[in-house]
Amino acid sequence: MKIKRREIFAGSAVAVLMMTTAACGSSDNYGGKAPAVQPVGDSKQVGAGSGYGDPYGGGSGAAPAGAAGKSGSAGQLKVNEIAGLGPGVTDSEGFTLYRFDKDTPKPPKSNCEGDCAAAWPAVSADDASVSAGIDAALLGSVERADGTKQLTLAGWPVYRYSKDAKAGDAFGEGVGGTWHVLGPGGKPAGASKGAGAEKEEKKEEKKEEKPAAAAKGGELTAVQNPQLGTLVEDGEGKTLYRFDKDSAWPMKIGCVDACTDTWKPAKPVDKDKVNGIAPELIGKVKRPDGSEQLTIDCWPVYTFTGDKEPGDTTGHNNKGLWFAITDKGKKAKVVG
């Protein structure tokens, strides 16, 4: 009888794919030796107080004085020389202003929310004006997810950087390869310098036409969807999904064989190269065929072959089993 029970247990265990050392949801989802813990989204937050990591350049320590947390009006925008870049835009107090490559100018849209917005405070559109060197016609505003109006320049949402402690600092330049000092015309400061100016301008125009393609391969990014909330996209702008027949605790894969012809297992990524998702939620699991799959808060994630364009969410609520995954690893809401 004992032998029979042992055989039954071994057979059922084949369907359950636990991550190495059952460390899902811990600070090391990549096979390090750690005690078993439940997914962060379903229990106590793991690593609470560790901050949002480096994808936004904010660090985990206390924010410095100065631009940190400052989201008020820029007052009169000015053009000042930024070391190594040339003319850049500052607020009335001399704090450097920035733009984010993952935003869009046509139509204006901010993709920096949550922890991102803590590191990069949005500049209020209230009472903004311009000085010499900036065309007043370029000023505008965009409504953020919280209903506030953010200043835009040439359509690009405008930000300050929390690590700029004093006027003239420009520590946000180049952070993550996506944050740049704002130039007077809305392009990144320095983009029009040198003999390659025309080439750079064409490159910028192409980026504005197809902003979703600007994401680098191998990255994950949290983006705002007007209907579904904060979703996760891969480096190609494809929406990621979770499957109700999978399981996060214990880890179980329900999409195998022909299922993967339609729902492609997402490849693991470097947890240090994610934007808007807590790094401790990023992990990976070994599938039955031996390949590795990305997990978010212990949930295996997939892309949908039915999504044809970056940002598509046609797989959401598919058969009542597939759902776009949020930055917290949850299922996105179902809109009636």
Side-chain angles (χ1 to χ4, degrees):
M1 181 64 86
K2 288 183 178 178
I3 293 175
K4 194 170 186 179
R5 284 181 180 173
R6 192 173 298 147
E7 290 174 348
I8 293 173
F9 176 81
S12 62
V14 172
V16 180
L17 299 175
M18 300 295 291
M19 292 191 356
T20 306
T21 71
C24 186
S26 74
S27 60
D28 184 358
N29 287 2
Y30 281 55
K33 294 182 179 179
V37 292
Q38 294 183 19
V40 173
D42 298 323
S43 62
K44 183 178 180 182
Q45 175 71 36
V46 175
S50 62
Y52 39 76
D54 289 332
Y56 309 121
S60 58
K70 183 179 178 182
S71 57
S73 171
Q76 187 180 55
L77 302 185
K78 301 178 181 179
V79 179
N80 286 304
E81 283 294 313
I82 308 297
L85 295 175
V89 180
T90 69
D91 66 14
S92 59
E93 298 179 14
F95 281 95
T96 302
L97 301 180
Y98 299 86
R99 49 166 276 176
F100 183 33
D101 283 354
K102 294 185 185 295
D103 288 347
T104 60
K106 298 177 183 179
K109 180 184 177 183
S110 170
N111 283 315
C112 180
E113 300 286 349
D115 289 338
C116 175
W120 301 89
V123 176
S124 170
D126 296 339
D127 303 320
S129 61
V130 299
S131 61
I134 304 174
D135 185 353
L138 296 180
L139 292 187
S141 67
V142 63
E143 185 171 340
R144 295 180 59 79
D146 61 4
T148 59
K149 296 287 188 180
Q150 181 176 3
L151 178 67
T152 62
L153 183 68
W156 288 95
V158 181
Y159 306 83
R160 296 182 179 89
Y161 183 42
S162 63
K163 281 193 173 182
D164 287 348
K166 65 182 185 300
D169 284 349
F171 296 120
E173 171 60 31
V175 169
T178 55
W179 289 93
H180 302 285
V181 173
L182 187 63
K187 292 180 171 57
S192 59
K193 294 177 63 177
E198 184 176 348
K199 181 178 180 181
E200 182 65 32
E201 186 171 341
K202 290 180 179 179
K203 179 180 178 182
E204 182 69 20
E205 289 174 355
K206 184 177 181 181
K207 184 194 299 180
E208 291 181 8
E209 291 171 3
K210 297 183 178 181
K216 296 180 180 179
E219 292 182 336
L220 297 183
T221 303
V223 298
Q224 287 297 313
N225 180 284
Q227 287 77 40
L228 305 180
T230 306
L231 307 182
V232 180
E233 294 181 353
D234 68 9
E236 298 178 355
K238 295 180 180 178
T239 300
L240 296 182
Y241 299 86
R242 51 177 274 187
F243 183 35
D244 272 2
K245 290 189 176 181
D246 286 347
S247 173
W249 192 263
M251 182 71 73
K252 183 174 71 174
I253 300 293
C255 181
V256 296
D257 301 327
C259 174
T260 60
D261 293 337
T262 302
W263 300 91
K264 301 296 185 182
K267 300 293 185 183
V269 301
D270 185 339
K271 67 173 71 176
D272 293 326
K273 295 182 179 179
V274 298
N275 295 312
I277 308 117
E280 62 265 26
L281 297 184
I282 305 302
K284 62 183 179 181
V285 63
K286 183 168 287 188
R287 293 181 53 80
D289 62 3
S291 63
E292 292 183 329
Q293 181 174 1
L294 173 69
T295 63
I296 299 178
D297 197 26
C298 302
W299 283 96
V301 292
Y302 306 78
T303 57
F304 179 45
T305 56
D307 287 344
K308 302 303 182 183
E309 298 292 335
D312 281 353
T313 56
T314 60
H316 184 57
N317 198 26
N318 187 292
K319 298 182 179 179
L321 294 172
W322 292 90
F323 300 91
I325 195 166
T326 72
D327 58 321
K328 307 298 183 185
K330 301 291 188 181
K331 294 187 287 188
K333 61 185 178 182
V334 176
V335 179

